[in-house]
Amino acid sequence: MASFHHSWSLSFLLMTWIATIIGRSAGAYAPVGYQPSPWTLAHATFYGDESASSTMGGACGYGNIVTNGYGTDTAALSSTLFKNGYACGTCYQIKCVQSPWCFKASPFTTVTATNLCPPNWSQDSNKGGWCNPPRTHFDMAKPAFMKIAQWKAGIVPVMYRRVPCVRKGGLRFSFQGNGYWLLVYVMNVGGAGDVAGMWVKGSKTRWISMSHNWGASYQAFATLAGQSLSFRVTSYTTKQTLLAYNVAPANWNVGLTYEAKVNFR
């Protein structure tokens, strides 16, 4: 049973140490220091079909969530959980409970927040308006929902907890805009998965604070064409910082995604 929603969101990261990112990436990583939250009761529905094609894009701005590392184990969050996009990229373990539709053999599945499930004020919160505040609700991609319950259930009670995100490869920066206005989507963030603040440094500039645009995107109104670019990213959850040096070369272009290898120190 799909609820009505379109994508608007943002990703964010978390780690105990400052990380330095250099060059290309390999392997899986999850910054240490972030502990799972307690289990909490909520509800879950699903949207789309088995192909999860309708989950592409999304409010966080991750584009093709499969090629960008998130797969089809994703969910749209009710606005109570979405936090105006600052929950983009966060990870949750979800298990079906107290329903005959639950699959007993699969205790839980792990999903990444990539979308927003907006309120549907024309429906009662307990009858169609599943994502109306103050409800905590997960509108899951159908392949993810089918790991915990039979799809015919439509909606099931679940227990969920926030967990660290384990990512393959490095942090990814997708460029839009132009040489005077740089819009960057931050993806594939390990640990807490979320971003609260971002800065960019050209090879000829100091660190420049970037403002939050929407979802997982940040923007800088500065002349950065022809300069190699480094980034500094701060976690929404932990307030700690990750450094990404020389992410993009001086001849960088919009429409491209640059990946950085994560090394912890």
Side-chain angles (χ1 to χ4, degrees):
M1 173 186 294
S3 63
F4 299 103
H5 67 84
H6 297 289
S7 342
W8 304 101
S9 164
L10 150 90
S11 119
F12 89 66
L13 59 73
L14 139 168
M15 52 201 70
T16 318
W17 302 329
I18 293 179
T20 300
I21 304 181
I22 313 170
R24 300 291 298 173
S25 65
Y29 76 96
V32 298
Y34 183 73
Q35 300 300 317
S37 67
W39 288 98
T40 306
L41 183 65
H43 284 81
T45 50
F46 68 87
Y47 69 109
D49 57 21
E50 286 84 349
S51 71
S53 59
S54 62
T55 66
M56 299 301 167
C60 293
Y62 294 143
N64 187 317
I65 58 175
V66 174
T67 59
N68 283 326
Y70 297 103
T72 58
D73 289 334
T74 63
L77 306 184
S78 62
S79 55
T80 299
L81 291 170
F82 194 65
K83 299 177 182 175
N84 293 320
Y86 288 103
C88 283
T90 53
C91 297
Y92 303 85
Q93 286 180 344
I94 301 176
K95 56 183 178 182
C96 181
V97 296
Q98 302 170 4
S99 171
W101 299 103
C102 297
F103 289 140
K104 302 297 188 294
S106 300
F108 61 80
T109 191
T110 302
V111 299
T112 301
T114 59
N115 208 345
L116 166 67
C117 181
N120 179 9
W121 298 116
S122 65
Q123 300 289 333
D124 183 87
S125 296
N126 295 309
K127 194 175 182 181
W130 311 121
C131 291
N132 295 348
R135 289 177 63 103
T136 53
H137 190 87
F138 296 86
D139 201 9
M140 304 171 67
K142 191 173 183 180
F145 185 89
M146 292 174 64
K147 291 182 178 181
I148 62 170
Q150 298 181 48
W151 67 268
K152 292 181 180 179
I155 181 171
V156 293
V158 297
M159 297 294 289
Y160 77 94
R161 66 175 179 174
R162 175 98 177 268
V163 294
C165 300
V166 179
R167 300 294 182 211
K168 293 181 179 179
L171 201 62
R172 297 173 188 171
F173 300 86
S174 180
F175 286 15
Q176 299 296 330
N178 52 53
Y180 309 97
W181 169 64
L182 180 64
L183 180 67
V184 180
Y185 292 86
V186 190
M187 301 180 291
N188 207 48
V189 182
D194 53 17
V195 175
M198 188 166 166
W199 294 259
V200 60
K201 184 182 185 306
S203 51
K204 300 175 183 178
T205 73
R206 56 179 176 76
W207 285 105
I208 299 168
S209 177
M210 304 180 75
S211 59
H212 182 215
N213 186 289
W214 63 277
S217 69
Y218 284 79
Q219 61 191 357
F221 295 91
T223 302
L224 294 167
Q227 301 181 55
S228 59
L229 302 180
S230 300
F231 293 95
R232 191 169 76 200
V233 183
T234 299
S235 166
Y236 183 87
T237 299
T238 64
K239 314 303 180 189
Q240 292 171 331
T241 298
L242 178 150
L243 297 172
Y245 290 114
N246 301 317
V247 172
N251 63 344
W252 59 266
N253 275 302
V254 297
L256 298 181
T257 297
Y258 297 90
E259 187 173 17
K261 183 179 180 180
V262 180
N263 299 291
F264 301 101
R265 66 185 184 193

